[in-house]
Amino acid sequence: MSNTKTSNHNRRAIVTGGTRGIGRAIVKELASRSCCGVLFSDVAFVYNSCDECAEELMSEIDYPGTKIFGFKADATSLEQAQATVNEAIEKLGGVDILINNAGITRDNLLLRMTEKDFDDVINANLKSVFNYTKAVIKPMINQKYGRIVNIASVVALIGNPGQSNYVASKAGVIGFTKAMARELASRGITVNAVAPGFIQTDMTQKLTDDQKQKLVQNIPMGRMGTPQDVAKVVAFLCSKDADYITGQVISVDGGMAM
Ligand code: NAI
């Protein structure tokens, strides 16, 4: 699937979970803004189900000089991640940026949480980060440049009842981020995490009005965040302005964790 426009030497980005919510905003932000000191980024996004959403997203990105590709793949599979990254590199001409955004929730109190709920969340949220990072680092090391941003969560920093699987997966993402930052710093590759608070997407749409009201009461800024609030920080971490930042967790949460 592609919507190709002529391009010079744009930065090339891969975004997992790109068709909805925060991932969709990141795809649009990277494709539209001046990123990494060049005018546009070419973007390959990965999605696991909705073909129409992928087509709609590609049709919305209409910036001259930007290439956009959608790849259908399950981010929990290393084999599919490797195949997708290889194909994306072929289409984009390389990879400079990886945004590990794909994620799910399967909330329940531990007493009621099934083994499957635990495994599914760890696989979608943490194993996927391993899969895509493993698939991109060789080409990034060879070119001595890379920007990796992992989407964690505020709950990895402060905990949350009913989300032990999700919190564990996101705390794992933060640990993985710091280990990779140390492993790759000398190779010209930065690895950072963004920890969003409560953001208006399909993921939080599942909460009841009562739950949302209680959550908003705990946000010093008094509102939920937007996907764009997160996407702008991700784009900053991929830009030249963030060249000396690695191993950090940047909260975008209206002040929830401080
Ligand atoms: P969303 O549910 O709207 O989007 C998640 C995306 O991940 C979807 O496009 C989905 O298809 C994709 N995805 C899930 N499993 C996948 C798999 N196995 N393979 C490929 N793609 C897969 O959620 P939202 O809110 O946009 O979340 C994006 C990221 O931000 C997630 O990692 C989430 O945990 C994180 N986050 C979200 C917060 C929120 O309040 N919405 C707060 C903190 C973190």
Side-chain angles (χ1 to χ4, degrees):
M1 215 175 259
S2 78
N3 166 17
T4 312
K5 308 253 156 65
T6 45
S7 145
N8 252 331
H9 39 71
N10 296 349
R11 290 296 182 197
R12 295 131 327 167
I14 296 175
V15 181
T16 68
T19 50
R20 283 211 319 250
I22 293 170
R24 190 184 184 91
I26 292 170
V27 169
K28 287 185 155 186
E29 189 68 30
L30 290 179
S32 70
R33 76 147 55 190
S34 168
C35 177
C36 310
V38 293
L39 202 53
F40 299 104
S41 288
D42 295 330
V43 184
F45 64 87
V46 184
Y47 66 101
N48 63 345
S49 55
C50 181
D51 292 327
E52 306 85 71
C53 309
E55 269 158 28
E56 188 192 274
L57 175 59
M58 286 192 293
S59 70
E60 282 173 17
I61 294 180
D62 192 20
Y63 312 111
T66 298
K67 291 182 201 164
I68 174 96
F69 301 97
F71 293 97
K72 195 171 188 172
D74 179 357
T76 67
S77 154
L78 176 60
E79 203 184 330
Q80 288 187 38
Q82 240 140 15
T84 304
V85 167
N86 289 345
E87 215 183 318
I89 286 174
E90 209 180 296
K91 300 253 189 215
L92 297 173
V95 58
D96 307 293
I97 295 167
L98 169 67
I99 315 297
N100 282 308
N101 164 78
I104 60 169
T105 52
R106 295 286 181 270
D107 297 352
N108 221 331
L109 296 173
L110 190 62
L111 275 175
R112 290 194 213 118
M113 188 177 289
T114 63
E115 186 180 9
K116 184 172 179 343
D117 286 343
F118 192 84
D119 289 346
D120 285 353
V121 168
I122 297 292
N123 283 333
N125 298 4
L126 179 57
K127 169 102 186 315
S128 65
V129 176
F130 162 82
N131 291 342
Y132 275 84
T133 307
K134 193 166 169 64
V136 299
I137 54 168
K138 212 166 178 184
M140 284 185 179
I141 287 171
N142 287 342
Q143 71 195 9
K144 298 187 178 64
Y145 181 89
R147 296 287 173 263
I148 300 175
V149 181
N150 300 322
I151 306 300
S153 169
V154 64
V155 296
L157 305 173
I158 62 175
N160 204 23
Q163 287 202 307
S164 55
N165 50 0
Y166 185 79
V167 173
S169 71
K170 294 299 187 177
V173 167
I174 290 175
F176 186 85
T177 300
K178 292 181 182 182
M180 291 316 301
R182 288 193 185 273
E183 228 171 279
L184 298 171
S186 63
R187 311 298 192 119
I189 301 168
T190 66
V191 190
N192 291 289
V194 169
F198 285 92
I199 310 296
Q200 281 164 338
T201 67
D202 290 351
M203 190 175 269
T204 46
Q205 200 54 42
K206 295 178 209 156
L207 300 170
T208 63
D209 284 348
D210 191 42
Q211 283 172 314
K212 279 191 208 159
Q213 214 176 347
K214 280 195 188 124
L215 287 169
V216 170
Q217 278 167 8
N218 288 322
I219 303 173
M221 290 184 73
R223 68 164 175 91
M224 290 177 79
T226 65
Q228 292 72 27
D229 288 330
V230 180
K232 283 179 195 305
V233 176
V234 170
F236 161 72
L237 288 170
C238 299
S239 75
K240 268 192 86 53
D241 292 340
D243 276 354
Y244 199 53
I245 300 176
T246 197
Q248 302 306 305
V249 183
I250 312 290
S251 294
V252 183
D253 63 3
M256 282 182 76
M258 64 167 101

